[in-house]
């Protein structure tokens, strides 16, 4: 028997740690476990996936989980990002958890996802309880643990081990365990269907043929390296200009690592929100506090950072 | 469940720790960095009584590793991909010094284009360097292989450096249960390093790798390296027996999986061999008589063990997770060469190239390999190199190209 859980998040949200919490909890309960993350060059906000397998026998699988029993989506904006592949392999037997303020029904109506959907607003819980967004790994792990049928005590023990590994203080760990336990209790259950699937049929292979180097080499021929791909979903916070406070010093323009701030003829910054990744460097550098960070929340700005 | 959850990288660091190494020259590179970070912290807090030095490049790192080993210190170092290539000149040099250090390579595909995920063009590029090569499938095998590597490397019949390879991501960042060998058993398995031909120290002039102009001396010394490497086959066997006696796990130069009555055999290496074994189970359940041969030792090349495992089969498929442009799969060539003189050689040899840059190998691709290999066996004529690239992947690639083309023309 094997349980295959796939986590999707953005760098910094804790998808990898969540997958480890789940793996450790399963291991504590005597299962063979395997967990692994996959990500690109290290950066906050970029799509990250992590995989946890739980079995009674040695696991003869590695890496990508193509047909998950449970998918945990830490950031709803990943659902419609084709690069994240969050919906791959989900069918009507797959359980799907989405970190969202919407209920499962509301979400379903909005996004019409395949799979058996359940939701909870873990980001809001983390912001309320810990005052920061990065702290949802334990909550994701707790929710996943509940959905695959692991015990609350093993999840709490796993949270302690994994967060201690990350160097967190005992008091923080204890607080996290308490909040995670609440999430464990509160998540609305959906049934897991892990009956064995049809074995895979041989796939059709199609090797690429030779194409001229204009197509056959990896290169970028445009200024922005992702001109038609929006990075807006990377943000938890967006920088917003309060024009009356701006003194036109150009510091935000100089410090923006993405080059998405341009200056208009009145020396005021104009932010390209399609490519701003929400790093907040401009907000921190602005000497007059003319730039403020506002929480992105499913379209409307609902929470303003201190 | 015994043991503890551990990444391949942490298992590699444990290998160095249990071997009680004296010196760790280091340079970071993804996906290897966790190994030297861990060793750095252990050296810093006194858990490991070794000198940890961060060098300015992998070239310097390998030079320092070789030089330290030449003083009689037990040396461990680790790198990956571009880092291994940057150290390339020194790999050959220190192999000629006959210094028995252990280098862990965490496989990552080579530039360009650049990526972080694994294939084996990095480690196989070093196959002619004189380093022995052991390729691991599991995190457990990583720690165990490092211990075996020191024992083999330091044997007077060998005295060559050893590279232990593990796949980036699929082992390096993957946690699975690992049993850490008991330090006392390791001490018995791995006696202190007492090299007879090394001993750089103050006031004792000593030169290694000296100039030998005129080919006959050069030929002699290079051939000595070859003979030393070949000796490692037998020394590995002895080490395997002793390791099994002390730690209960057995590793041979090749590993057969469900070979007994297999008509067709798939040859693989490294972490994806786990997936290959799973695919063999699936194919067997559907009535195909298939098995898997995993190559664990790549240098020296275990030709006899390979011949023994593959003779009399209907068809053999070699899955190379590498690509030699203008040629094809690297291991396919070596397998084909060592079967040439075998009277009962398989009727068809098939070459598959897959998992480049960490590309997933789906269950469907494995089933396609088994199907094509069986057909080749019936036909009595091999195929390849066949790139494992699915229709769906092809579609997605074309889509990406079209997006890029739009940007260029808009």
């Amino acid at each position: 028997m094997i349980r295959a859980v796939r986590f999707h998040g953005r760098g910094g949200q804790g998808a990898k740690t969540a997958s480890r919490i789940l793996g450790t909890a399963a291991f504590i309960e005597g299962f063979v476990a395997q967990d692994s993350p996959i990500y690109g060059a290290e950066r906050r906000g970029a799509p990250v996936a992590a995989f946890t397998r739980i079995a009674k026998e040695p696991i003869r699988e590695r890496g990508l989980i193509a047909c998950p029993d449970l998918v945990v989506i830490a950031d709803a904006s990943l659902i419609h990002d084709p690069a994240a592949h969050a919906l791959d392999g989900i069918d009507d037997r797959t359980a799907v958890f989405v970190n969202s303020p919407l209920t499962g029904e509301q979400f379903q109506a909005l996004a019409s996802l395949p799979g058996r959907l359940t939701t909870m607003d873990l980001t809001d819980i983390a912001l309320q309880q810990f005052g920061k967004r990065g702290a949802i790994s334990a909550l994701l792990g707790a929710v996943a643990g509940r959905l695959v049928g692991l015990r609350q005590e093993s999840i709490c023990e796993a949270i302690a081990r994994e967060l201690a590994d990350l160097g967190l203080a005992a008091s923080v760990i204890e607080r996290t365990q308490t909040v995670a336990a609440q999430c464990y209790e509160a998540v609305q259950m959906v049934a897991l269907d892990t009956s064995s699937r049809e074995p895979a049929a041989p796939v059709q292979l199609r090797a690429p043929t030779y194409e001229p180097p204009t197509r056959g080499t990896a290169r970028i021929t445009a200024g922005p390296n992702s001109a038609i791909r929006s990075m807006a979903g990377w943000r938890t916070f967006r920088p917003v200009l309060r024009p009356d406070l701006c003194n036109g010093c150009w510091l935000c323009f100089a410090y923006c690592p993405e080059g998405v701030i341009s200056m208009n003829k009145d020396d005021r910054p104009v932010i390209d929100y399609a490519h701003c990744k929400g790093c907040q460097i401009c907000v921190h550098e602005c000497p007059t506090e003319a730039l403020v960070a506002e929480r992105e929340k499913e379209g409307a700005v609902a929470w303003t950072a201190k | 469940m015994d043991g503890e959850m551990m990444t391949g990288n942490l298992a590699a660091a444990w290998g160095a720790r249990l071997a009680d190494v004296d010196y760790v020259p280091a340079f970071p590179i993804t996906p290897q960095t966790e190994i030297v970070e861990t060793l750095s912290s252990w050296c810093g807090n006194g858990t490991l009584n070794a000198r940890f030095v961060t060098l300015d490049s992998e070239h310097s790192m390998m030079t320092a590793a070789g030089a330290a080993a030449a003083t009689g210190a037990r040396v461990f170092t680790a790198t990956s991909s571009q880092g291994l290539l940057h150290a390339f000149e020194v790999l050959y040099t220190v192999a000629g010094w006959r210094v028995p250090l252990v280098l862990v390579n965490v496989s990552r595909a080579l530039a360009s284009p650049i990526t972080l995920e694994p294939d084996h063009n990095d480690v196989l590029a070093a196959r002619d360097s004189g380093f022995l090569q052991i390729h691991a499938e599991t995190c457990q095998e990583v720690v165990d292989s490092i211990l075996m590597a020191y024992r083999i490397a330091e044997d007077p019949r060998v005295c060559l450096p050893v590279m232990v390879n593990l796949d980036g991501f699929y082992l390096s960042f993957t946690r699975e249960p690992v049993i850490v060998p008991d330090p006392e058993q390791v001490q018995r398995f791995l006696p202190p390093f007492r090299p007879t031909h090394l001993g750089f120290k103050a006031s004792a002039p000593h030169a290694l790798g000296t100039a030998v102009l005129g080919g006959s001396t050069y030929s002699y010394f290079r051939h000595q390296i070859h003979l030393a490497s070949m000796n490692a086959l037998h020394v590995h066997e002895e080490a395997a027996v002793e390791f099994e006696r002390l730690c209960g796990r057995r590793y041979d130069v090749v590993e057969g999986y469900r070979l007994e009555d297999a008509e067709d055999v798939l040859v693989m290496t490294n972490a994806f061999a786990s997936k290959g074994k799973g695919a063999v189970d699936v194919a067997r359940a559907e009535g195909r008589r298939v098995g898997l041969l995993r190559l664990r030792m790549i240098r020296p090349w275990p030709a006899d063990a390979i011949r023994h495992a593959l003779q009399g089969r209907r068809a053999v498929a070699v899955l190379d997770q590498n690509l030699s442009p203008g040629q094809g799969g690297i291991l396919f060539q070596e397998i084909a060469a060592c079967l040439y003189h075998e009277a009962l050689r398989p009727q068809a040899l098939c070459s598959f190239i897959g998992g480049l840059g960490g590309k997933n190998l789906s269950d469907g691709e494995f089933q396609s390999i088994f199907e094509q290999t069986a057909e080749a066996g019936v036909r009595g004529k091999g195929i390849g190199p066949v790139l494992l690239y699915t229709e769906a992947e092809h579609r997605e690639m074309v889509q990406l190209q079209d997006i890029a083309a739009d940007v260029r023309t808009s």
Side-chain angles (χ1 to χ4, degrees):
Chain A
M1 183 197 53
I2 190 162
R3 292 252 194 284
V5 182
R6 199 172 71 206
F7 293 84
H8 294 276
R10 295 185 178 278
Q13 277 181 328
K16 172 186 169 185
T17 304
S19 76
R20 291 171 73 118
I21 288 168
L22 188 64
T24 296
F27 184 69
I28 289 170
E29 293 192 20
F31 292 101
V32 182
Q34 182 198 75
D35 55 62
S36 61
I38 192 93
Y39 42 77
E42 286 81 350
R43 51 191 182 174
R44 286 187 168 261
V48 169
F51 314 99
T52 305
R53 294 183 170 92
I54 302 168
K56 288 184 171 159
E57 303 294 324
I59 296 167
R60 299 230 188 270
E61 290 180 33
R62 292 205 175 276
L64 186 82
I65 293 175
C67 294
D69 300 309
L70 167 65
V71 174
V72 175
I73 299 174
D75 189 315
S77 67
L78 290 168
I79 290 172
H80 298 296
D81 181 344
H85 292 281
L87 301 184
D88 284 11
I90 297 181
D91 59 25
D92 55 7
R93 311 155 47 144
T94 318
V96 179
F97 172 85
V98 184
N99 170 27
S100 165
L102 304 178
T103 65
E105 292 75 38
Q106 287 172 323
F107 207 94
Q108 194 63 273
L110 207 73
S112 76
L113 294 186
R116 305 166 178 184
L117 194 63
T118 178
T119 64
M120 193 188 268
D121 192 353
L122 299 182
T123 305
D124 197 58
I125 293 170
L127 285 168
Q128 302 279 348
Q129 302 282 343
F130 311 116
K132 56 182 176 190
R133 59 171 173 155
I136 66 170
S137 59
L139 314 188
L140 292 166
V143 165
R146 177 73 190 280
L147 291 170
V148 299
L150 295 177
R151 291 195 298 268
Q152 194 181 100
E153 309 81 69
S154 0
I155 294 287
C156 280
E157 170 62 23
I159 288 170
R161 288 192 201 173
E162 294 310 317
L163 298 191
D165 237 29
L166 296 175
L168 268 66
S171 58
V172 175
I173 293 173
E174 213 169 296
R175 176 107 190 87
T176 308
Q177 284 174 310
T178 308
V179 178
Q182 288 161 5
C183 295
Y184 182 96
E185 299 285 353
V187 68
Q188 197 190 339
M189 291 299 289
V190 284
L192 281 194
D193 180 351
T194 57
S195 55
S196 60
R197 292 175 157 79
E198 283 292 298
V203 292
Q204 195 59 43
L205 298 178
R206 184 168 173 197
T209 51
Y210 181 78
E211 296 189 285
T214 47
R215 255 175 103 80
T217 57
R219 64 205 183 103
I220 293 165
T221 56
N225 67 14
S226 47
I228 59 174
R229 181 166 144 73
S230 172
M231 301 289 141
W234 291 35
R235 291 193 298 267
T236 303
F237 296 97
R238 68 160 56 196
V240 174
L241 180 71
R242 298 189 284 185
D244 49 318
L245 295 178
C246 177
N247 67 359
C249 68
W250 287 56
L251 275 177
C252 53
F253 169 86
Y255 277 98
C256 175
E258 299 292 336
V260 298
I261 296 178
S262 53
M263 302 301 289
N264 67 16
K265 60 180 175 6
D266 301 322
D267 286 337
R268 294 292 176 270
V270 178
I271 298 167
D272 170 7
Y273 285 111
H275 295 98
C276 166
K277 293 170 181 167
C279 69
Q280 309 307 325
I281 288 173
C282 57
V283 171
H284 288 290
E285 292 300 334
C286 178
T288 62
E289 298 184 353
L291 285 164
V292 291
E294 294 189 353
R295 167 91 195 277
E296 301 275 0
K297 201 167 186 184
E298 243 110 311
V301 172
W303 194 87
T304 304
K306 293 184 187 78
Chain B
M1 198 59 216
D2 289 335
E4 54 192 283
M5 292 290 284
M6 196 181 280
T7 61
N9 278 345
L10 183 55
W14 265 104
R17 174 168 160 178
L18 288 168
D20 194 20
V21 298
D22 303 307
Y23 182 64
V24 183
F27 192 83
I29 179 169
T30 299
Q32 170 282 124
T33 306
E34 185 190 358
I35 299 176
V36 293
E37 273 177 357
T38 305
L39 290 172
S40 161
S41 90
W42 285 344
C43 290
N45 66 23
T47 307
L48 177 60
N49 183 22
R51 181 63 162 252
F52 183 96
V53 180
T54 308
L55 275 299
D56 58 284
S57 73
E58 290 88 350
H59 190 279
S60 305
M61 180 190 88
M62 275 315 300
T63 308
T71 68
R74 187 174 278 165
V75 176
F76 176 87
T77 188
T79 189
S80 176
S81 191
Q82 309 299 128
L84 183 71
L85 263 60
H86 193 45
F88 226 70
E89 178 191 11
V90 189
L91 298 181
Y92 283 67
T93 302
V94 302
W97 294 354
R98 306 286 301 276
V99 286
L101 56 91
V102 172
L103 165 67
V104 163
N105 182 65
V106 182
S107 264
R108 162 179 153 187
L110 296 171
S112 47
I114 200 157
T115 186
L116 299 174
E117 293 163 70
D119 66 33
H120 305 136
N121 266 103
D122 61 350
V123 64
L124 291 178
R127 72 192 183 277
D128 304 332
S129 64
F131 273 63
L132 311 184
Q133 289 198 10
I134 297 173
H135 292 209
E137 180 193 337
T138 65
C139 296
Q140 181 72 61
E141 195 179 337
V142 170
V143 55
D144 293 347
S145 294
I146 289 169
L147 299 175
M148 287 180 67
Y150 277 109
R151 174 152 165 155
I152 297 162
E154 292 171 3
D155 191 291
R157 292 165 289 179
V158 179
C159 273
L160 282 173
V162 183
M163 207 174 287
V164 174
N165 193 69
L166 61 132
D167 278 334
F169 287 84
Y170 297 103
L171 282 195
S172 75
F173 299 158
T174 297
R175 294 195 318 164
E176 54 191 15
V178 171
I179 297 168
V180 175
D182 174 47
E184 279 182 27
Q185 304 284 35
V186 173
Q187 262 184 10
R188 258 178 268 169
F189 178 71
L190 202 57
F193 178 34
R194 301 259 184 273
T196 52
H197 74 293
L198 300 170
F200 267 63
K201 56 182 178 215
S203 309
H206 195 137
L208 276 175
T210 49
V212 286
L213 300 181
S216 63
T217 41
Y218 182 85
S219 302
Y220 169 81
F221 289 122
R222 292 305 290 183
H223 189 243
Q224 286 297 310
I225 297 172
H226 171 65
L227 295 175
S229 183
M230 296 308 290
N231 283 347
L233 288 170
H234 180 64
V235 175
H236 183 284
E237 166 89 22
E238 289 177 5
V241 169
E242 184 65 3
F243 189 83
E244 185 183 23
R245 193 177 69 77
L246 290 169
C247 298
R249 291 179 294 279
R250 172 72 186 221
Y251 299 97
D252 290 306
V253 289
V254 299
E255 180 202 2
Y257 183 73
R258 303 191 75 171
L259 284 183
E260 308 76 51
D261 61 341
E263 283 182 302
D264 301 337
V265 176
L266 171 62
V267 179
M268 291 184 71
T269 65
N270 289 282
F272 273 3
S274 299
K275 291 169 77 95
K277 290 173 180 174
V280 164
D281 291 344
V282 172
R284 286 241 170 204
E286 294 192 321
R288 286 189 193 280
R289 276 166 46 204
V290 294
L292 185 139
L293 181 71
R294 179 171 70 92
L295 309 181
R296 192 175 109 80
M297 190 165 235
I298 301 291
R299 284 292 181 272
W301 181 247
D304 286 342
I306 292 168
R307 275 196 286 268
H308 180 74
L310 299 182
Q311 69 183 2
R313 309 293 176 182
R314 182 178 65 180
V316 167
V318 182
L319 204 176
D320 269 290
Q321 209 179 334
N322 62 74
L323 176 60
S324 172
Q327 167 59 284
I330 293 168
L331 296 176
F332 175 79
Q333 308 303 329
E334 301 207 355
I335 295 273
C338 80
L339 289 174
Y340 184 79
H341 292 292
E342 181 61 49
L344 293 173
R345 64 173 181 253
Q347 290 139 46
L349 273 185
C350 303
S351 172
F352 292 90
I353 311 286
L356 298 183
K359 192 191 91 68
N360 184 46
L361 294 177
S362 62
D363 299 343
E365 282 163 90
F366 278 108
Q367 298 319 315
S368 174
I369 292 173
F370 291 133
E371 193 175 80
Q372 294 188 51
T373 303
E375 285 167 10
V378 170
R379 242 189 351 257
K381 187 168 183 295
I383 53 166
V386 174
L387 181 73
L388 297 173
Y389 206 78
T390 66
E391 274 280 6
E393 286 163 343
H394 192 279
R395 256 197 317 277
E396 194 180 347
M397 185 67 216
V398 170
Q399 229 167 33
L400 289 170
Q401 286 176 306
D402 291 346
I403 290 170
D406 272 353
V407 175
R408 263 175 237 151
T409 51
S410 62

